[in-house]
Amino acid sequence: MAEALATYAYRPRPATMDDAAEVASVIAACEIAYDHGTVTSETDVRDEWRNANFDEDTVVFEDPSGAIVAAADMLNRQYTVLTVYGSVHPEHEGQGLGSEIVAWGERWAREHMHLAPPDRQIAIRYFIQSKNNRAIELMTEHGYEPIRHTYVMAIDLDHQPPAPEWPEGIVASEYRPGIDERDVHEAVEDAFRDLWGRPPSDFERFLAFSSGDGVKPDLWILARADGEVVGVCLGTLTNDQGWIPTVGVRRAWRRKGLALALLYACFGAYYQRGIRDVRLSVDAQSPTGATRLYERAGMHVASNYILYQKILRDGLDTETDTNG
């Protein structure tokens, strides 16, 4: 499927924060078209862009009327794992915009390649909804290969969730802004240090996430043992939908029912807020059985994303196939 080279009709430029509403509309149109089940909001985009380097890390495409019809931004992990989040409005597919986004991402990677450790592999990635056949064909044409699947799992909280049963020695509490940031960041990094595809994240990135408009302290559940944060369930809120970007338990506290208790506590907080639709994403190949855990908590697979990858430079791949 070769896209028609009609991009001369579209003008690329870096995004600005003032574009958040239009970009959210483009992303939401794609989600609706391909049965994602969620609708990205302007708040979501603003939170994602809170500390963005707009000139380098974003691009939007305007049609002749000046309306934004496609957009992309780069998630950079140590210049070695680069994930492009790109969207083309369904009404403008087939015009070469997808290829332009792919070219933009690869150009970004090559321009910044010198900043990566010299012995490390550099990979560029896209998450493609499994029903988006045009995007799947585009990935194949540009030399990307499917390497993994990610499920979006959902639960409809039509009744009060079960009360959490905390393991012995655990004290649960809500997140305290201005106090708990460092402890939560350290717990998350420790819990996910062996997660496939996730190089370490710095504290500044975490602070940007924790200060987002969608973050509500009652939806961040912390589990402590002897004062140390050993598990977290961090929920966010967008309009009438909940999203849990992080559920993590330190290795020494796994297999004790803590993750399930954290989920139930978070579900309960959503329920008290009147939120009934709650979702999260999970690596479908998780060796720890995360998918089974979420199913046990009452969640189901709502949609499936395929992770496509191209290796731009060979080298040491420090990722593992376990996510603990």
Side-chain angles (χ1 to χ4, degrees):
M1 189 265 322
E3 288 188 322
L5 296 179
T7 49
Y8 61 85
Y10 301 94
R11 183 176 75 91
R13 63 168 175 82
T16 72
M17 190 61 83
D18 291 340
D19 297 324
E22 278 194 272
V23 170
S25 294
V26 171
I27 298 171
C30 296
E31 291 169 340
I32 293 168
Y34 298 111
D35 196 27
H36 184 294
T38 63
V39 179
T40 293
S41 71
E42 178 182 355
T43 297
D44 295 329
V45 175
R46 287 183 175 275
D47 284 350
E48 186 68 26
W49 285 354
R50 184 172 294 272
N51 286 339
N53 182 339
F54 287 103
D55 287 341
E56 285 198 11
D57 300 342
T58 69
V59 65
V60 297
F61 292 84
E62 295 176 335
D63 69 8
S65 73
I68 294 174
V69 298
D73 57 67
M74 176 69 73
L75 175 60
N76 167 30
R77 298 285 193 181
Q78 300 183 339
Y79 300 98
T80 60
V81 179
L82 309 172
T83 305
V84 179
Y85 291 93
S87 300
V88 177
H89 196 289
E91 294 179 359
H92 293 262
E93 291 178 346
Q95 302 300 307
L97 289 167
S99 292
E100 287 295 309
I101 288 174
V102 171
W104 173 83
E106 294 187 12
R107 186 165 56 249
W108 190 104
R110 297 188 189 284
E111 289 174 353
H112 294 80
M113 190 174 291
H114 65 284
L115 297 172
D119 62 338
R120 291 284 298 278
Q121 172 183 282
I122 297 177
I124 189 164
R125 296 173 175 169
Y126 291 80
F127 286 94
I128 304 297
Q129 222 283 346
S130 62
K131 296 182 180 180
N132 190 341
N133 293 327
R134 184 183 293 272
I136 289 172
E137 292 174 7
L138 179 70
M139 289 286 98
T140 301
E141 288 178 0
H142 286 274
Y144 288 76
E145 297 182 352
I147 62 169
R148 218 151 176 105
H149 286 255
T150 294
Y151 294 148
V152 173
M153 302 190 70
I155 186 170
D156 182 10
L157 299 175
D158 54 4
H159 58 273
Q160 177 74 47
E165 297 182 7
W166 300 106
E168 185 177 354
I170 290 294
V171 176
S173 64
E174 294 180 3
Y175 166 71
R176 299 170 298 175
I179 298 175
D180 292 327
E181 285 85 352
R182 183 69 67 176
D183 288 345
V184 174
H185 174 253
E186 290 177 358
V188 170
E189 289 305 298
D190 186 40
F192 293 120
R193 57 189 165 87
D194 50 2
L195 178 69
W196 186 92
R198 187 186 183 276
S201 183
D202 59 36
F203 185 57
E204 288 68 28
R205 185 185 294 273
F206 176 79
L207 284 179
F209 166 60
S210 67
S211 60
D213 293 337
V215 172
K216 311 298 179 185
D218 62 304
L219 299 177
W220 278 31
I221 311 300
L222 313 183
R224 286 186 168 86
D226 296 326
E228 178 187 37
V229 176
V230 297
V232 300
C233 188
L234 311 181
T236 61
L237 191 61
T238 301
N239 299 328
D240 293 327
Q241 188 174 70
W243 185 267
I244 302 176
T246 305
V247 183
V249 175
R250 291 183 189 258
R251 183 174 293 277
W253 283 87
R254 294 172 188 166
R255 311 297 182 186
K256 300 178 185 294
L258 180 54
L260 185 61
L262 284 163
L263 278 170
Y264 282 155
C266 196
F267 290 166
Y270 279 118
Y271 188 82
Q272 292 302 314
R273 278 182 167 266
I275 301 301
R276 299 296 179 256
D277 183 2
V278 179
R279 297 174 182 244
L280 54 75
S281 64
V282 59
D283 177 7
Q285 287 93 340
S286 169
T288 61
T291 302
R292 294 190 298 274
L293 166 69
Y294 299 142
E295 288 174 339
R296 193 157 67 250
M299 308 189 83
H300 65 276
V301 175
S303 59
N304 175 18
Y305 278 78
I306 308 170
L307 178 59
Y308 280 84
Q309 174 176 277
K310 179 191 281 189
I311 304 300
L312 298 184
R313 188 182 77 185
D314 289 329
L316 177 64
D317 179 6
T318 59
E319 293 175 339
T320 68
D321 284 334
T322 62
N323 82 355

